[in-house]
Amino acid sequence: MQQVSDASRSPGYDPAPTNSRALIVDSIRSAGTVSRVELTQITGLTAPSVTTLVRRLIDDGLVDEAGRGSSTGGKPRTMLRIRAAARYVVGVHLSADSLTYVLVDYAGAVVARWRRAGPGDDSDPEQVVERIAAETTELIERSGVDPSLVLGLGFVCPGPLIRNRGVTSAPPSMTHWVGFPIHRRLEERLGLPALLENDATAAAAGTRLTTSHDVSVMAALFMSEGIGSGLRLNGNVYQGAHGNAGEVGHICVQIGGPQCWCGSTGCLEAIAGPATVVAKARAAGLDLGSPRRTGVAAFAAIARLALTGDSRAEAILRDSASWLALGAQTITNMYDVQLLVLTGPAFAVAGTIYLPIIQERILSSAFGRAVNTEVVLDERGHDAAAIGAALMMLRSDLAISA
Amino acid sequence: MQQVSDASRSPGYDPAPTNSRALIVDSIRSAGTVSRVELTQITGLTAPSVTTLVRRLIDDGLVDEAGRGSSTGGKPRTMLRIRAAARYVVGVHLSADSLTYVLVDYAGAVVARWRRAGPGDDSDPEQVVERIAAETTELIERSGVDPSLVLGLGFVCPGPLIRNRGVTSAPPSMTHWVGFPIHRRLEERLGLPALLENDATAAAAGTRLTTSHDVSVMAALFMSEGIGSGLRLNGNVYQGAHGNAGEVGHICVQIGGPQCWCGSTGCLEAIAGPATVVAKARAAGLDLGSPRRTGVAAFAAIARLALTGDSRAEAILRDSASWLALGAQTITNMYDVQLLVLTGPAFAVAGTIYLPIIQERILSSAFGRAVNTEVVLDERGHDAAAIGAALMMLRSDLAISA
DNA sequence: GCCACTATATTCACAGACCTAACAAACTCA
DNA sequence: TGAGTTTGTTAGGTCTGTGAATATAGTGGC
């Protein structure tokens, strides 16, 4: 049980691994395949240190040699890569209308994925724990992965939470979750360490960096049922004092604006979040399929309409995007990032509408111009949070012990 | 010259000192006087390590023993404290209408302070360098401190900058500073390492923590001629990818709001910053003394009027405060801090009007309620930026070498 | 005033991380 | 085939920090 709490501790920002072993593993993982010489450059360690650390990792079965590079006039480089089958982690993303599972291997690749209907609005937390535990077990079983190689589970849910204590406040659909220590219950039920994280923060951890240049400071703008953001610094997420950093959905963007479920008024989420977009679309008489369709499913229906030429749907989304752009600008102003990634289920379905509007505002703002902040769309938006939670587990100390 | 750049390097967030020597010095400095046993608790190092490190620090003249604590049944603790006279650093805060110098000793105390009129709007940067160099030299001379003990200089100016390159964009009064590498010029002129920092970020570093409980994540909301903020994590400031984190003055708080000098519209600073407050007060016919009085001096005149019962002045400031409260809420939402300190010259003169309004909004916001974020006024607001710059220099690697 | 007791601080021997310097291995090219 | 080049390893040393044992300087009982 000692180990269990270890993974989810870490008050505030977790500095870059002082642990060279973790540093090497991270470097190999994010590079794909690298040679030892390259590792000396990436990590700043000396060649002998790299040799020693890599040897131990190979002995422990965490890293493999993977053929040779071509010679550049001398001995060719021996390439290294993560032994993908060494360990696995599970990532789970819960929201009212969907429940996403991913199984991620030690190299960080998704080897299994499962999306199911969410527990709905009035679910009993204890029953949901049961269900998640059962489905997690089933996921592992069906994937054919040896369960003893599964290190732990990263669990993600929307909204503010207090690390190690559970959800502290929640959107209307999940109020009965407040104060329920779901990750602890999952730990007990599954016998695996579990980590609890905010959806947006996890998404920041899960975003693959596909930019050419080196990005050490990036943020994710996450939209699912709500709106949030996460900040990633050199691969570590910034969580704030209580694990609630990045609550961009509840900054006030309009004095005297509409009431938000959070108790405040004029929140970005209340004005331009998916729930509001859906309400506006319904009010405008758009056909979103079944009237029982809610949350991201309903939002996706609007996006489909907009993308197939419905100008009313498009106008509603473009209006939402102009507000989201404000949030994005706040993120870049406050965090000063090199890269902002739009991610989460809502951007997965409507990102192409939001992206140019957000980009334009960022690039035309004074600081955007001065420093050239890039804004991109995550191609794995749907699963970003679940993947991120899994990756956070994969980067915990647990994951590098022999 | 190697050393010189060392102090101002540090891409993005600088993790807690891995350097135990620096850790010990920091711990003693922030505790005032401590025993070795207490240091083992604070730092997590073992008793033998503390013994050794402290012995070296005493040998190097950086730390002194300072009598004994009272016994609690055994050997009384030998108290340690920083040898204040071991080293000194200078902090300089430049704005259009004032130039503040502080000389800070190795214990972090201000031993000399000098506030002078600013260079005004149309000053030649080279001449300002000359003037600052001369006045810095004079400050040191008059203080009686041995110049060879002065480690370096922390330089602070308003607005966005790119670390190591100078100011990148600037308020109207300082546009001619754009691109001028003032800290490099000061280094050359004074023969001392210099560090360039944004005023708000430095203020976060300069704020003394007077709260009872342990604060590891705090932010400063800084108001001088402009509005900015800084984030401090475990004693290290977060600077962002380009040194521009915390630009809360240029988040948009009103769609279609007034034009800001930064090129954007609806910026917090344009709506509620000191310049706007002064303009409104003049428009309302308030007597601010000489019509040539500008910047913080004019703002201070309004604050005096408000505090002596002028209801028009008070209304103008209260309106500004309600907008600043939005900015404060954004800070707490994005950074999730335990403590928010209002600081800078403008809060130094009008803080008592702003504080309750800001406090109320933070405490009534959902996340404020859930996690109890404290909001306080800095009693050293006038000098916070200069002091902070000095303290940042004091925490650089330079400052702990024998 | 002496003795046990306790809390504080130090010494000593050792483990581990990481470095420099020297060396071995594996390729290219003349 | 061998010189040159690049990659990786071995050997030895330094430095940091640890645990175990010990020294130091008080308190309080008798």
Side-chain angles (χ1 to χ4, degrees), chain B residues 137-189:
Chain B
T137 309
E138 190 179 338
L139 176 80
I140 295 169
E141 230 161 58
R142 289 196 307 183
S143 70
V145 163
D146 176 354
S148 72
L149 294 178
V150 177
L151 278 175
L153 176 145
F155 183 84
V156 154
C157 60
L161 48 89
I162 291 190
R163 205 190 330 288
N164 300 335
R165 261 213 273 156
V167 176
T168 54
S169 75
S173 59
M174 297 185 69
T175 46
H176 52 296
W177 283 89
V178 172
F180 184 75
I182 186 162
H183 60 310
R184 293 287 167 248
R185 293 287 298 112
L186 282 169
E187 280 181 347
E188 289 162 28
R189 183 63 184 66

Side-chain angles (χ1 to χ4, degrees), chain A residues 63-120:
Chain A
V63 166
D64 272 337
E65 296 199 333
R68 337 212 97 175
S70 57
S71 167
T72 56
K75 173 173 176 175
R77 303 173 172 192
T78 312
M79 304 311 281
L80 303 166
R81 77 168 151 230
I82 296 291
R83 201 164 78 79
R87 309 279 162 86
Y88 296 86
V89 286
V90 176
V92 181
H93 177 195
L94 168 71
S95 63
D97 67 354
S98 84
L99 194 41
T100 307
Y101 298 84
V102 291
L103 182 63
V104 170
D105 69 23
Y106 200 56
V110 176
V111 295
R113 161 184 351 222
W114 198 11
R115 188 158 332 129
R116 308 226 43 200

Side-chain angles (χ1 to χ4, degrees), chain B residues 81-220:
Chain B
R81 76 168 150 230
I82 297 290
R83 201 165 77 80
R87 308 279 162 85
Y88 295 85
V89 287
V90 176
V92 181
H93 177 196
L94 169 72
S95 63
D97 67 355
S98 81
L99 195 41
T100 306
Y101 298 85
V102 291
L103 183 63
V104 170
D105 68 25
Y106 199 56
V110 176
V111 295
R113 161 185 349 225
W114 197 11
R115 187 159 331 130
R116 308 226 40 201
D121 286 5
D122 296 315
S123 47
D124 170 28
E126 282 297 345
Q127 277 177 16
V128 175
V129 166
E130 273 312 306
R131 177 179 159 193
I132 292 175
E135 290 178 348
T136 298
T137 309
E138 190 179 338
L139 176 80
I140 295 169
E141 230 161 58
R142 289 196 307 183
S143 70
V145 163
D146 176 354
S148 72
L149 294 178
V150 177
L151 278 175
L153 176 145
F155 183 84
V156 154
C157 60
L161 48 89
I162 291 190
R163 205 190 330 288
N164 300 335
R165 261 213 273 156
V167 176
T168 54
S169 75
S173 59
M174 297 185 69
T175 46
H176 52 296
W177 283 89
V178 172
F180 184 75
I182 186 162
H183 60 310
R184 293 287 167 248
R185 293 287 298 112
L186 282 169
E187 280 181 347
E188 289 162 28
R189 183 63 184 66
L190 282 164
L192 284 175
L195 162 162
L196 172 64
E197 195 46 79
N198 169 307
D199 48 9
T201 303
T207 303
R208 188 156 32 192
L209 296 186
T210 43
T211 49
S212 45
H213 58 287
D214 219 34
V215 173
S216 55
V217 184
M218 65 82 67

Side-chain angles (χ1 to χ4, degrees), chain B residues 272-351:
Chain B
T276 303
V277 167
V278 168
K280 281 187 182 170
R282 285 234 157 82
L286 293 186
D287 175 18
L288 309 183
S290 157
R292 292 185 311 121
R293 193 182 257 170
T294 59
V296 175
F299 182 86
I302 301 169
R304 274 192 302 273
L305 285 175
L307 294 171
T308 53
D310 185 309
S311 61
R312 286 175 307 166
E314 196 188 332
I316 290 171
L317 290 178
R318 293 178 66 88
D319 177 64
S320 165
S322 71
W323 291 101
L324 263 290
L326 280 193
Q329 191 186 354
T330 298
I331 292 173
T332 56
N333 269 322
M334 297 302 287
Y335 289 160
D336 183 16
V337 295
Q338 297 161 278
L339 174 71
L340 178 65
V341 177
L342 310 185
T343 186
F347 283 126
V349 295

Side-chain angles (χ1 to χ4, degrees), chain B residues 341-366:
Chain B
V341 177
L342 310 185
T343 186
F347 283 126
V349 295
T352 52
I353 295 166
Y354 282 79
L355 179 65
I357 295 171
I358 292 175
Q359 262 173 339
E360 200 223 315
R361 180 159 200 113
I362 296 297
L363 296 178
S364 70
S365 86

